[in-house]
Amino acid sequence: MYRSWRKSKSLKPDFNKKEVSICPATRFFDQLSFVGDEIVGCFILETDAGIVLIDCMNPDERCAHMIEKGFQDLELDINDLCAILISHGHGDHYGMAGYFKETYGTRIYMSETDYNFARNMPERFPWNPIDFTVDLFLQDGEDLRFGETVIHAVHTPGHTEGCFSFVIPVTDEGRVHHMALWGGSGILPDSNISDYYHSLVKFSAVCDRYHVDGEIATHPCLDMGIERLNLIRNLVDGIPNPFVLGREGYQYYEQIFYNMVKQAE
Ligand SMILES: [Zn+2]
């Protein structure tokens, strides 16, 4: 049950917002950082086999530059960028992946279904069809190994047909946590609500298995990501990381999406 004394706020990114504030590139786990603005961002995961980018914002130069600058600000070498993991075939997630592939030799991972969708992007969407090739099509239930780091990929159709969600291992002050990234947050007019619901149930079970105790979202306006990152930048040792929610806290977060299904039905 959510807080009844509080008027609930809607969790919807305002894609038409004119003035978007940029969040300073922020490391918020020992090996995980955020780069982006209040509407859309991406995650930089450092592994012993190179750096993995999870989603890469909008397909425009501003975003590509923001990512490059983010690496600099975090004192990371963008030449170590080994892979981009794309959650689904919408432009605000696949961004300029092709540019990174061409410039830095980065491998691109996404689902074949959404790749084909984005190759033939319907005109009603504001993005051009993608023009890059993919190095690995994601498989349901696959473990993506980057040295010692293993990202678990789960096919969660609904938001788009080929949408993927991920379980990402991180550490905070050395303690191990598992973050969930729910791949397609909103229910769109052409989303399949029944698929969306079944994917939620499926992903909840995976999160149980992995003892997921926190979440990250590429649209930080959905989960107060920016506010929590602001806090992190001033956090002192020993104070709990606001991205670590615990099992129960994570389940409350999941409930947002179950409620979204109820409202959409
Ligand atoms: Zn989307």
Side-chain angles (χ1 to χ4, degrees):
M1 202 30 93
Y2 287 123
R3 300 170 191 100
S4 57
W5 43 267
R6 187 171 174 279
K7 201 173 172 213
S8 73
K9 286 184 181 173
S10 84
L11 293 164
K12 265 198 178 148
D14 178 2
F15 291 107
N16 299 316
K17 200 169 176 183
K18 293 268 176 333
E19 295 279 313
V20 178
S21 63
I22 293 173
C23 176
T26 305
R27 185 174 280 105
F28 61 104
F29 281 104
D30 296 332
Q31 53 293 91
L32 188 66
S33 303
F34 174 86
V35 169
D37 59 39
E38 60 183 300
I39 304 292
V40 68
C42 55
F43 297 98
I44 295 173
L45 180 68
E46 297 162 57
T47 79
D48 51 351
I51 296 175
V52 180
L53 195 57
I54 304 167
D55 280 347
C56 51
M57 306 173 71
N58 286 305
D60 58 46
E61 282 174 13
R62 169 189 161 268
C63 289
H65 177 69
M66 208 191 291
I67 293 169
E68 287 174 324
K69 186 174 178 305
F71 271 74
Q72 263 176 23
D73 293 346
L74 295 161
E75 297 180 355
L76 297 172
D77 184 349
I78 196 149
N79 291 300
D80 293 337
L81 179 60
C82 65
I84 300 177
L85 220 57
I86 297 170
S87 63
H88 66 280
H90 286 155
D92 51 340
H93 298 264
Y94 62 69
M96 286 182 68
Y99 161 79
F100 291 98
K101 180 173 181 155
E102 234 169 73
T103 314
Y104 306 107
T106 311
R107 287 164 61 81
I108 301 177
Y109 298 7
M110 75 184 288
S111 79
E112 189 167 12
T113 305
D114 270 19
Y115 178 69
N116 290 330
F117 167 79
R119 285 283 278 183
N120 305 288
M121 182 63 76
E123 271 180 23
R124 65 180 181 279
F125 290 101
W127 310 290
N128 291 328
I130 58 177
D131 57 1
F132 52 80
T133 54
V134 164
D135 298 276
L136 184 128
F137 289 124
L138 297 171
Q139 303 297 325
D140 187 26
E142 182 174 20
D143 283 333
L144 303 165
R145 290 177 190 279
F146 301 94
E148 294 288 303
T149 306
V150 183
I151 299 175
H152 190 63
V154 185
H155 181 212
T156 51
H159 179 79
T160 60
E161 212 186 317
C163 187
F164 265 73
S165 299
F166 304 106
V167 175
I168 302 155
V170 292
T171 61
D172 180 53
E173 296 188 316
R175 294 180 294 264
V176 176
H177 299 285
H178 285 86
M179 296 295 111
L181 189 153
W182 176 239
S185 39
I187 297 177
L188 305 177
D190 53 356
S191 297
N192 182 319
I193 298 175
S194 164
D195 280 357
Y196 191 102
Y197 172 74
H198 288 108
S199 293
L200 267 177
V201 173
K202 175 182 171 183
F203 193 57
S204 296
V206 171
C207 289
D208 261 344
R209 213 167 74 227
Y210 280 80
H211 307 289
V212 163
D213 58 353
E215 59 72 36
I216 56 174
T218 45
H219 294 301
C221 36
L222 290 173
D223 67 350
M224 299 194 75
I226 297 295
E227 289 80 358
R228 288 189 288 166
L229 290 164
N230 289 343
L231 193 59
I232 287 268
R233 284 194 300 281
N234 296 296
L235 208 60
V236 295
D237 289 349
I239 298 298
N241 183 324
F243 282 85
V244 176
L245 308 176
R247 279 298 297 141
E248 193 186 357
Y250 174 71
Q251 283 158 347
Y252 269 86
Y253 173 77
E254 265 179 349
Q255 205 56 48
I256 294 173
F257 301 103
Y258 283 101
N259 290 342
M260 216 184 257
V261 170
K262 265 189 218 148
Q263 283 161 14
E265 276 169 348

